[in-house]
Amino acid sequence: TELIFDLKVTQACMSCKRYGLTGCCPPHIGSFEYYKKLLKRYTYGKIFIEKFFAEKVTDRDTMGRKSSAELHQVLLKERQQLLNKGHYFNVILGGGSCKYCKECSIPCKLPHFRALPLEATGINVVATLEKMGMFLKFPVKQVFYRVGAILWD
């Protein structure tokens, strides 16, 4: 499946509470044009979809952080497997802002562990998943999904 890029998605990052506060989010990463050109150059890709539950509305922030961190660990393991097979050209894209470090720095001090948010690169996650036959429902109630990806050559 081809990734769907939409400039409106990167614009939406500006309303995020972490905008400008992390080294892995806009405006501290490459431009929409850069990622649209770069990410399409990878030969292979795998999308990860993890399902999570938040019993109460008050659980959403906690589950949001936890789910993002869990997905990040899955992506790092997948990347290590690719590196072990000689696939040195790869990139991991996480669900939400990177949560690898306890305190984020600008610029990122551990770029080999970071996961750029899918949305920050301009990927329209909802439209890309719809093209694959999966439909996300909004607003999020008890069930929500974290989506990540890894691309490689």
Side-chain angles (χ1 to χ4, degrees):
T1 293
E2 187 174 324
L3 299 172
I4 297 173
F5 288 84
D6 188 339
L7 189 57
K8 292 181 287 190
V9 176
T10 56
Q11 176 66 25
C13 285
M14 294 174 132
S15 65
C16 177
K17 63 185 175 186
R18 294 176 59 89
Y19 179 81
L21 301 177
T22 77
C24 301
C25 288
H28 305 294
I29 64 170
S31 69
F32 171 81
E33 292 80 15
Y34 170 76
Y35 286 111
K36 186 175 182 182
K37 188 181 283 187
L38 172 70
L39 299 179
K40 287 183 175 190
R41 295 187 54 89
Y42 287 96
T43 307
Y44 306 102
K46 186 174 180 182
I47 292 180
F48 295 80
I49 303 169
E50 301 281 332
K51 186 176 187 178
F52 293 92
F53 298 91
E55 295 296 321
K56 300 176 271 181
V57 173
T58 54
D59 293 343
R60 287 191 199 151
D61 281 344
T62 302
M63 282 308 301
R65 285 188 298 277
K66 183 180 180 199
S67 62
S68 186
E70 286 181 18
L71 178 60
H72 195 146
Q73 289 305 311
V74 169
L75 293 167
L76 287 173
K77 286 179 187 172
E78 185 79 13
R79 172 190 259 172
Q80 190 57 55
Q81 291 174 1
L82 289 170
L83 290 170
N84 291 344
K85 294 177 183 175
H87 298 286
Y88 295 104
F89 290 112
N90 64 63
V91 61
I92 58 174
L93 304 164
S97 59
C98 182
K99 308 284 190 307
Y100 187 77
C101 299
K102 288 187 181 192
E103 284 192 37
C104 190
S105 63
I106 301 170
C108 177
K109 290 182 182 175
L110 298 170
H112 50 292
F113 290 116
R114 77 179 182 182
L116 297 173
L118 277 163
E119 302 83 358
T121 65
I123 295 171
N124 185 327
V125 176
V126 174
T128 300
L129 291 179
E130 283 178 359
K131 192 173 178 182
M132 296 170 59
M134 181 176 182
F135 300 90
L136 300 180
K137 294 180 183 176
F138 294 96
V140 172
K141 296 195 177 170
Q142 290 181 321
V143 176
F144 67 97
Y145 296 88
R146 277 289 179 202
V147 180
I150 186 163
L151 307 175
W152 73 93
D153 279 329

